[in-house]
Amino acid sequence: MAQASGSPRTYDVVLLGATGFTGGLTADYLAAHAPAGLRWAIAGRSKEKLEAVRDRLGVDVDLVVVDSSDEAGLREMAAQTKVVATTVGPYLEYGAPLVAACAQEGTDYVDLTGEPEFVDRMYVDHQATAEASGARLVHCCGFDSIPHDLGAYFTIQQLADAVGGEITTPVTMRGVARSNGTFSGGTFHSALNAFSRVRQMREAMQARKRLEPRPEGRRSRAVSGKPMRDSVLGYWLVPLPTIDPFVVARSGAALASYGPDFRYSHYAGTKTVRYAAGGAVGASALALAAQVPPVRNLLKSRVPQGTGPSEKRREKAWFTVEFVAETAGTTVRTKVSGGDPGYTETAKMLAESALCLALDDNPPTSGQVTTAQAMGDALLTRLEAAGITFERVG
């Protein structure tokens, strides 16, 4: 990673948004698990709220007062640190100035966005600058999309072992997510915004496609699935309209280990057809409601940002993402599993991603990159040590 003006940086990690709910959980995790000697700071727009977070943490951590719209302040902050981690969303509303600052200063960046339009616009606007400066811009470092992206990466490794080496034939893979957890207010707001901006999202995707190079002699695609019963897993499947399959496909395009022709489909899994049908109807109703501004605003007011469930409720939450990969008659099944996906595990994933970029020996990359592409094995090792399970089950 490039250093600003050739000078060493003051911090290894700066966490922006530490006064919010998920940001506070991320700060808790860093305070409890950061290695000795880590130079880190918490950032936000209110000094008083940052001081309250520091008092709660009980650790000597520096404070950086900056607003998410202050371009000069964000650039000054970025120049001081190796990595910025941000929980300030919806990112389409608040995130662009920080991405610009990190790209300009050669500073690594991680966030929790699940917003396809934001990610595509950041690629179009900042890819060339980040490649030149050495910055690694890694979006989707929470439940969107680490279990899916690193789960697919892990599954490819198991498939390669099963075929005895390099994968030379087309691969089809599906990921099936299940959970009893509650997702954050920020995630809900981001989803409503995305549903209301279908045209803009499509335009951003097309703008990215015009710029993004394709891998030579290989293909990697996100394939829209159809509702069905999975004969291998035993679940009823409903296609999930999330950013996750696009992230997985980008890793497949970047990494030759995914084989010459990689196709990935993404689903929610339920045990009965009734729940599958209900989920599909609910998603459609939410998408329609998001088109009407008064209804959209009412829904947002019912699930405010910056709030979340109690610790007791989070302790009972869980998630799994199961993968089935097939190539030339060989089938492999894997599973990623953990606790509360929307808050506890998401904070853990973001913190470990920031630590991984700041401290570990990672592949040489720059520009907008995925977690599998930027960190791969190093992040897998960190997350397994932190209690998230990656396992082959068949």
Side-chain angles (χ1 to χ4, degrees), residues 85-162:
T86 175
T87 62
V88 181
Y91 292 88
L92 196 58
E93 294 181 39
Y94 304 114
L98 179 58
V99 178
C102 289
Q104 292 160 357
E105 293 297 331
T107 300
D108 293 337
Y109 165 98
V110 292
D111 68 22
L112 296 176
T113 190
E115 302 161 62
E117 182 185 350
F118 173 73
V119 172
D120 289 342
R121 291 193 185 282
M122 294 306 96
Y123 181 92
V124 171
D125 292 345
H126 304 298
Q127 176 70 5
T129 302
E131 286 184 331
S133 71
R136 293 170 290 189
L137 308 178
V138 192
H139 302 285
C140 310
C141 292
F143 187 71
D144 287 323
S145 296
I146 281 181
H148 319 287
D149 189 31
L150 285 189
Y153 175 83
F154 174 80
T155 305
I156 286 293
Q157 293 178 328
Q158 306 309 305
L159 189 61
D161 287 344

Side-chain angles (χ1 to χ4, degrees), residues 79-306:
Q80 295 181 65
T81 185
K82 292 181 178 179
V83 183
V84 175
T86 175
T87 62
V88 181
Y91 292 88
L92 196 58
E93 294 181 39
Y94 304 114
L98 179 58
V99 178
C102 289
Q104 292 160 357
E105 293 297 331
T107 300
D108 293 337
Y109 165 98
V110 292
D111 68 22
L112 296 176
T113 190
E115 302 161 62
E117 182 185 350
F118 173 73
V119 172
D120 289 342
R121 291 193 185 282
M122 294 306 96
Y123 181 92
V124 171
D125 292 345
H126 304 298
Q127 176 70 5
T129 302
E131 286 184 331
S133 71
R136 293 170 290 189
L137 308 178
V138 192
H139 302 285
C140 310
C141 292
F143 187 71
D144 287 323
S145 296
I146 281 181
H148 319 287
D149 189 31
L150 285 189
Y153 175 83
F154 174 80
T155 305
I156 286 293
Q157 293 178 328
Q158 306 309 305
L159 189 61
D161 287 344
V163 300
E166 180 181 357
I167 297 172
T168 59
T169 51
V171 174
T172 59
M173 184 186 298
R174 59 188 178 274
V176 180
R178 302 184 68 238
S179 176
N180 71 340
T182 302
F183 294 94
S184 69
T187 298
F188 185 68
H189 282 232
S190 295
L192 286 175
N193 288 343
F195 283 138
S196 72
R197 295 177 59 86
V198 174
R199 178 180 57 82
Q200 295 93 328
M201 187 163 55
R202 187 180 299 114
E203 290 172 352
M205 182 180 296
Q206 292 301 320
R208 177 178 184 146
K209 283 184 177 180
R210 288 192 291 269
L211 290 177
E212 191 169 25
R214 294 180 174 86
E216 293 186 10
R218 302 176 52 246
R219 291 195 300 177
S220 179
R221 294 167 288 166
V223 180
S224 298
K226 297 180 179 179
M228 64 177 183
R229 178 168 171 76
D230 192 312
S231 60
V232 176
L233 299 176
Y235 301 135
W236 288 93
L237 305 187
V238 178
L240 274 179
T242 63
I243 196 172
D244 305 305
F246 299 103
V247 174
V248 172
R250 286 172 191 143
S251 292
L255 301 172
S257 59
Y258 285 58
D261 188 353
F262 175 73
R263 293 179 293 170
Y264 178 77
S265 300
H266 191 56
Y267 301 91
T270 69
K271 290 186 176 180
T272 67
V273 68
R274 177 168 61 92
Y275 285 120
V281 170
S284 298
L286 191 64
L288 287 173
Q291 309 306 312
V292 185
V295 177
R296 183 170 69 248
N297 293 334
L298 175 63
L299 290 171
K300 287 182 176 181
S301 70
R302 297 291 180 90
V303 188
Q305 293 179 250

